[in-house]
């Protein structure tokens, strides 16, 4: 086969260079009271083929992470990188470069001739141009896309400080991009959040919180009946029970759950069709509306099902799905990834009925310690029946003096813009 006949290499980013950078820990002067940490090696991967030697160690890290994140596990992240980086390349979008940055554990003592590939940290990063972001500066961003709801890197629970120091040393050493990191949808109060605060405090970095809100979380500490009584008004509960009875009068009403040994393919096909049959299909936002999105969903779901991360539930009438939900397991918890329903049954509130079933599974059957709704702020349905909240923030982190100074001015500039819009009669941002 000639070079011209070979298929193109699928890449995460526009470039194809791979770099290995050793963290300068042993020569770094720590701040007062800080511990000199064991060395780490930072490996930057831009191509799918380069990831293969690290898959086993990456998979092992998933069970050892300080904070679990299914969206950065290989069975979810690799299909996403291939699907969405490829889309940007086909569209000619050169404002975003995507790379997989790995922090590799290094043994103490003299360097070995055969480096070990024990992965202690996984950081998927976008390199963004000045025109593509909240501030007019080139910057890094922890990778997210339309179907990724948690940008928490996988960091080994026993080596967190060393990993964070190595990662931020690497960012600070980059020449093609300012030492500026954007983190969107960052949950407050978790293990990674604390590691981040500790490392940035050690460095004296500047953090600008661009936005903060909360989203619905299901984390019951009581039985399902008590939870529903507290969350849903009596009149509404009575109406929902009536709707379930009426739904059962149409045909045989069943609730099915995808088992670990079940064939996942029919479920995926059925879900794609059900979601596309409703308003998401009409607006072009369903997973099946675009071929790359559908391919991503199938590849991701197959991998997650094989790894024990995927749960699918359906309420059916005479075997036909009225509503279906896809959940992704993440450590002790889970994420409500997607839901789709048949709009001809909308008068029976099938989505709410399925969420009430989930409350019973979590509260009574201990399916998960918590379920993150992954919903938008002030979601009209889920906020009414899930009473807990997860606090979310959007950060910009400046790692050098000049960038920190510019970030400190962002609130002032935003205030001036809003004041000027108000003077002109425009809506503030």
């Amino acid at each position: 086969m000639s070079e011209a006949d070979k298929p193109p290499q699928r890449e995460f980013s526009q470039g194809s260079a791979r770099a290995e950078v050793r963290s300068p820990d042993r020569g770094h002067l720590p701040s007062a009271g800080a511990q000199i940490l064991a060395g780490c090696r930072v490996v930057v991967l831009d191509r799918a083929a380069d990831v293969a030697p690290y898959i086993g160690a990456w998979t092992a890290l998933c069970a050892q992470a300080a904070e679990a994140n299914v969206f950065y596990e290989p069975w979810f992240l690799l299909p996403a990188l291939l699907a969405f980086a490829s889309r940007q390349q086909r569209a000619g979008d050169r404002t975003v470069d995507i790379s997989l940055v790995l922090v590799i554990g290094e043994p103490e003592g003299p360097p070995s001739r055969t480096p070990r590939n024990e992965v202690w940290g996984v950081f998927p990063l976008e390199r963004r141009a000045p025109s593509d972001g909240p501030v007019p500066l080139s910057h890094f961003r922890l990778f997210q896309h339309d179907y990724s709801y948690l940008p928490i890197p996988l960091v080994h629970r026993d080596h967190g400080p060393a990993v964070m120091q190595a990662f931020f040393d690497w960012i600070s050493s980059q020449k093609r991009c300012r030492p500026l990191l954007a983190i969107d949808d960052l949950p407050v109060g978790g293990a990674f959040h604390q590691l981040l605060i500790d490392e940035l405090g050690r460095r004296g970095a500047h953090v600008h919180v661009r936005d903060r809100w909360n989203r619905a979380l299901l984390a019951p500490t009581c039985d399902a009946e008590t939870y529903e009584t507290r969350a849903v008004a009596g009149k509404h509960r009575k109406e929902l029970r009536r709707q379930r009875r009426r739904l059962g009068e149409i045909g045989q009403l069943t609730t099915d759950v995808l088992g670990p040994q079940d064939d996942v393919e029919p479920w995926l096909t059925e879900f794609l069709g059900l979601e596309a049959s409703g308003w998401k299909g009409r607006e072009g936002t369903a997973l099946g509306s675009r071929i790359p999105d559908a391919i991503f969903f199938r590849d991701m779901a197959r991998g997650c099902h094989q790894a024990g991360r995927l749960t699918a539930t359906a309420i059916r009438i005479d075997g036909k799905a009225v509503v279906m939900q896809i959940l992704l397991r993440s450590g002790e918890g889970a994420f409500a990834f997607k839901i789709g329903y048949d709009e001809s049954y909308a008068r029976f509130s099938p989505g709410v009925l399925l969420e009430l079933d989930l409350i019973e599974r979590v509260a009574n059957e201990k399916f998960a310690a918590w379920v993150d709704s992954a919903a938008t702020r002030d979601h009209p349905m889920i906020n009414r029946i899930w009473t807990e909240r997860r606090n979310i923030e959007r950060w910009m982190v400046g790692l050098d003096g000049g960038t920190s100074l510019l970030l400190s001015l962002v609130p002032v500039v935003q205030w001036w813009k809003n004041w000027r819009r108000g003077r002109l009669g425009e809506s503030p941002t």
Side-chain angles (χ1 to χ4, degrees):
M1 181 182 293
S2 68
E3 288 295 323
D5 294 329
K6 289 182 180 179
Q9 172 69 52
R10 297 187 76 178
E11 308 225 351
F12 298 153
S13 64
Q14 307 298 335
S16 60
R18 184 176 68 169
E20 295 194 4
V21 183
R22 291 184 184 274
S23 172
D25 293 341
R26 294 184 177 89
H28 182 72
L29 294 178
S31 58
Q35 179 183 1
I36 298 178
L37 303 171
C40 296
R41 184 161 46 97
V42 175
V43 179
V44 184
L45 307 177
D46 293 327
R47 299 181 301 180
D50 294 334
V51 179
Y54 302 95
I55 290 292
W58 181 1
T59 301
L61 175 63
C62 296
Q64 300 170 319
E67 188 167 352
N69 183 9
V70 66
F71 301 105
Y72 282 0
E73 294 182 358
W75 27 82
F76 188 100
L77 183 58
L78 286 176
L81 287 169
L82 292 173
F84 302 118
S86 297
R87 175 189 295 172
Q88 289 163 346
Q89 290 167 8
R90 286 194 299 272
D93 181 2
R94 295 190 175 273
T95 65
V96 180
D97 262 346
I98 301 176
S99 299
L100 189 62
V101 178
L102 305 181
V103 178
I104 309 297
E106 286 281 272
E108 294 288 353
S112 171
R113 288 188 176 182
T114 307
R116 67 182 185 181
N117 288 335
E118 185 175 340
V119 177
W120 287 356
V122 174
F123 297 80
L125 278 187
E126 305 172 31
R127 184 183 285 110
R128 295 200 160 205
S131 59
D132 189 12
V135 294
L137 298 170
S138 62
H139 63 280
F140 295 98
R141 176 180 181 263
L142 286 169
F143 176 60
Q144 279 187 277
H145 51 88
D146 290 344
Y147 311 113
S148 176
Y149 310 124
L150 194 72
I152 292 181
L154 301 180
V155 177
H156 198 293
R157 58 175 171 252
D158 295 332
H159 307 287
V163 170
M164 299 298 285
Q165 181 173 332
F167 173 68
F168 281 104
D169 281 349
W170 177 82
I171 283 188
S172 298
S173 71
Q174 299 305 293
K175 305 301 182 185
R176 291 177 53 203
C177 194
R178 296 295 295 264
L180 177 63
L181 177 67
I183 310 175
D184 292 342
D185 303 336
L186 174 67
V188 174
F192 174 75
H193 181 246
Q194 188 59 56
L195 285 169
L196 187 62
I197 289 174
D198 290 346
E199 177 60 22
L200 297 180
R202 188 186 71 82
R203 292 174 175 271
H206 181 88
V207 176
H208 168 56
V209 180
R210 296 167 43 215
D211 196 7
R212 52 168 57 97
W213 71 98
N214 60 53
R215 65 189 182 205
L217 184 77
L218 174 62
T221 57
C222 56
D223 63 89
E225 183 177 359
T226 302
Y227 189 94
E228 291 175 16
T229 300
R230 294 172 180 172
V232 184
K235 184 177 180 180
H236 191 202
R237 291 201 315 278
K238 183 178 179 181
E239 174 62 17
L240 290 171
R241 288 194 294 268
R242 186 184 71 84
Q243 289 176 331
R244 191 183 291 270
R245 287 196 303 270
R246 290 184 58 202
L247 194 58
E249 293 169 359
I250 298 174
Q252 184 180 7
L253 185 65
T254 59
T255 300
D256 295 340
V257 179
L258 174 69
Q261 304 304 320
D262 293 340
D263 183 4
V264 72
E265 295 299 330
W267 284 77
L268 304 184
T269 299
E270 188 175 24
F271 180 82
L272 287 171
L274 186 65
E275 188 191 41
S277 69
W279 65 269
K280 292 181 183 179
R282 293 191 296 274
E283 294 186 2
T285 59
L287 280 160
S289 298
R290 291 183 288 194
I291 292 176
D293 295 47
I295 292 173
F296 154 74
F297 173 68
R298 287 185 179 275
D299 289 347
M300 175 277 295
R302 291 184 192 113
C304 286
H305 180 58
Q306 186 175 2
R309 299 293 195 268
L310 184 138
T311 298
T313 310
I315 293 178
R316 303 181 188 277
I317 292 185
D318 295 333
K320 178 187 176 183
V322 173
V323 60
M324 298 181 72
Q325 184 176 51
I326 304 294
L327 296 170
L328 298 178
R329 300 295 298 264
S330 188
E332 296 180 347
F335 285 84
F337 180 69
K338 284 289 178 180
I339 191 168
Y341 66 96
D342 186 334
E343 290 186 350
S344 63
Y345 295 92
R347 65 187 182 279
F348 300 106
S349 304
V352 178
L353 296 180
L354 194 59
E355 298 298 355
L356 292 178
D357 288 348
L358 182 58
I359 291 175
E360 183 171 344
R361 291 179 63 204
V362 174
N364 294 351
E365 302 172 21
K366 309 303 180 184
F367 160 73
W370 50 263
V371 180
D372 188 327
S373 67
T376 56
R377 70 181 81 195
D378 302 322
H379 192 280
M381 184 271 280
I382 203 66
N383 278 18
R384 287 192 303 161
I385 59 177
W386 289 11
T387 59
E388 293 77 40
R389 297 292 182 264
R390 193 173 203 179
N391 294 322
I392 306 292
E393 294 182 347
R394 288 184 175 174
W395 285 20
M396 295 294 294
V397 179
L399 297 173
D400 67 2
T403 304
S404 295
L405 175 62
L406 290 172
L407 280 183
S408 69
L409 296 176
V410 169
V412 177
V413 173
Q414 189 61 58
W415 175 87
W416 180 81
K417 287 182 177 179
N418 289 339
W419 177 82
R420 187 169 181 271
R421 287 190 179 98
R423 289 291 299 268
L424 295 175
E426 300 174 5
S427 299
T429 57

